[in-house]
Amino acid sequence: MNMKKTQLVTLGLATAVFAAMVALPLGAAQGAGEAIDYAGLAKIKAEGMQNSQVMELASWMTDVHGPRLSGSPNIQQAGEWAVAELKKMGLQNVAMEPWTDQTSFPRGWSNDKFYLAAVTPQAFPMTGMSTAWTPGTNGLIRGEAVLVTSTDGAELQKLSGTLKGKFVLTQAPPDVAAFWTPQAERYTKEQLDAMENAPRVPELGAPAAAGRGGAGAGRAGGAPGGGAPFNRNDFFLKEGVAGVLTTSARGHGLFTIGGNRSADPATTLPAIVVTAEHYGRVARMLMKNIPVTLEADIKNTFHPTPTMFNVVAEIPGTDKADEVVMLGGHLDSWHSATGATDNAAGSAIMMEAARILQAIGVRPRRTIRVALWGGEEQGLLGSRAYVAAHFGSAEDPLPEFSKFNGYFNIDSGTGRVRGFSVFGPPEASKIVAGYLKEFEDFGVYGATASASRAAGGTDSTVFNAAGIPGIGASQDPIEYNSHTWHTNLDTYERIVEDDVKKSAIAVASAVYHIAMREQMLPRFDKATMPAPPAPPAGRGGGGAPNQ
Ligand SMILES: [Zn+2]
């Protein structure tokens, strides 16, 4: 907030020299403070506000090519679409770049049909979805519903021989609270000030409490709180149940979904998540000892050894072409909706930012490179592969390492970018904040410095972990934590057009100005580089968190 900016060109003068200055290097304007190319800035704003394509890009990614589960045929199509679109925009070196190591993703998966309903004592449809990488039903099946909430081995053994062909509801019906408070929210000025002044521990704006790295879709058979030695799912499998049903307490027709790509389909049960209201109705009838019959016809397809890729595209640089400024987001999504706020919004914003720069004809000094990652939701796999292949790390650098000028990332929903966290010395975040100062009317507050090399949460942290500047967006939450993150309502309708338009403009300008600087964005050097975090000791099961 307190960034001092040297006003080098008055707005009036900027208008007068508008045409002349566009696409010229900042040159003389460098000096006392961070120079702003006001003519370029005006063009970026005009293009982004008047000719925005961001919603159309998001519609293609969601309505036509969503959901984009990693390794699925859909994300392949989405990647091909993105390549064609970026070429159409005029970007160069556009490609689906395969991960160097194709062995990390054993199987793709898609849900091709989902039908679930109660048939007795009353018929009603049930809203739900298969957990990813679980099998379907092999055609239409009918079975009794049973409520089995125990996780105790001895208790469960008593049911041995009684569960064959039944649908097991594995938890008590949850209490669903009313929406007592408004759901959509923006940060207040006070909150943003606090964020700027406080040391920011997690990288991103999304509060950890609301589910990042949360419990996923509840496939684990253990007791809540962990530690149950008895594997309930193995027991159900051995008993020949038709499938297991779970739900999530948020209710109101919402559920979150996840999956485990590493699970062996031969030993994985059909796992179905349904809304709390439908789950609760069945469970409460069972608690009254009223028999309930369900039927299901679920077709899930496994796709062996899918080609895993990241989409990349460039606006080539000129006199500093070997130096790179990057922007991007993850293209993959979960599969119970179309992955609109997580993360078609971020991908569309970054494609739009690149489109704006291309459309106004910038000739950047440094190369500007867009990347759309795969495999983010399974543990930042695409960006990890990319950073390892291109940059290495501070401890083991590749030639491109020293030429890197920052990676802007968006992955916290539709909410407008209100600031960035910049991995690097305070000078770096001050520079970024100086560029963003021009967007105070959009509510952008600036940038904060981060020295954390812990990877987790989203793709920018992979760059931080390598010791190069990841630049992660802090965004207004809007409905991200309450309604859209990994849920069945994460559709196009949840994208706030004004916010994504303005985010694209702010990012385009910041990327442009970094690409035009005389000097590189300041970075940690050998002496100041924070130590990488110790590798996590004994992570249980190797299952990747769902970011
Ligand atoms: Zn995401």
Side-chain angles (χ1 to χ4, degrees), residues 148-350:
V148 183
T149 58
S150 173
T151 56
D152 178 76
E155 277 293 305
L156 287 165
Q157 288 296 351
K158 291 182 196 163
L159 298 173
S160 189
T162 69
L163 298 175
K164 193 167 173 52
K166 294 183 179 171
F167 290 99
V168 182
L169 282 69
T170 57
Q171 63 189 105
D175 287 330
V176 175
F179 288 144
W180 293 110
T181 50
Q183 298 294 297
E185 50 179 348
R186 289 198 188 279
Y187 289 129
T188 63
K189 175 77 166 55
E190 290 68 31
Q191 285 172 313
L192 289 169
D193 285 348
M195 287 166 72
E196 188 174 13
N197 296 329
R200 283 156 48 80
V201 186
E203 277 308 300
L204 277 195
R212 294 219 154 214
R219 287 194 57 247
F230 187 79
N231 190 321
R232 201 161 65 139
N233 277 353
D234 282 355
F235 172 74
F236 291 145
L237 187 74
K238 190 164 64 68
E239 291 294 320
V241 308
V244 291
L245 273 68
T246 54
T247 188
S248 58
R250 61 177 73 198
H252 299 87
L254 278 165
F255 60 87
T256 53
I257 200 91
N260 179 3
R261 75 191 190 280
S262 305
D264 177 1
T267 58
T268 304
L269 278 169
I272 302 160
V273 185
V274 296
T275 63
E277 290 79 7
H278 293 156
Y279 185 98
R281 183 175 176 188
V282 173
R284 286 185 296 270
M285 285 194 281
L286 294 173
M287 289 157 80
K288 293 176 173 57
N289 291 316
I290 299 169
V292 180
T293 309
L294 306 182
E295 68 175 19
D297 187 356
I298 300 170
K299 184 164 187 280
N300 294 332
T301 307
F302 289 88
H303 307 274
T305 58
T307 303
M308 303 305 295
F309 63 90
N310 303 310
V311 174
V312 289
E314 291 182 344
I315 303 174
T318 51
D319 64 315
K320 294 176 185 291
D322 59 337
E323 293 184 19
V324 176
V325 190
M326 288 186 69
L327 65 162
H330 71 88
L331 185 62
D332 65 301
S333 76
W334 286 111
H335 61 287
S336 59
T338 55
T341 68
D342 189 15
N343 183 32
S347 296
I349 286 167
M350 295 318 206

Side-chain angles (χ1 to χ4, degrees), residues 66-103:
R68 302 166 309 283
L69 188 70
S70 295
S72 68
N74 270 23
I75 195 169
Q76 180 77 23
Q77 282 175 25
E80 286 163 10
W81 165 83
V83 162
E85 201 63 30
L86 289 158
K87 282 183 179 166
K88 230 191 306 175
M89 291 174 186
L91 275 79
Q92 297 181 37
N93 306 321
V94 187
M96 289 164 82
E97 184 178 311
W99 301 355
T100 321
D101 174 10
Q102 289 287 328
T103 64

Side-chain angles (χ1 to χ4, degrees), residues 6 13 15 18 26 58 60 114 121 144 161 164 176 193 201 226 251 267 306 314 363 388 536 546:
T6 311
L13 180 56
T15 310
F18 185 91
L26 297 175
W60 277 93
F114 185 90
E144 233 180 275
K164 193 167 173 52
V176 175
D193 285 348
V201 186
T267 58
E314 291 182 344
R363 302 211 49 224
N546 304 330

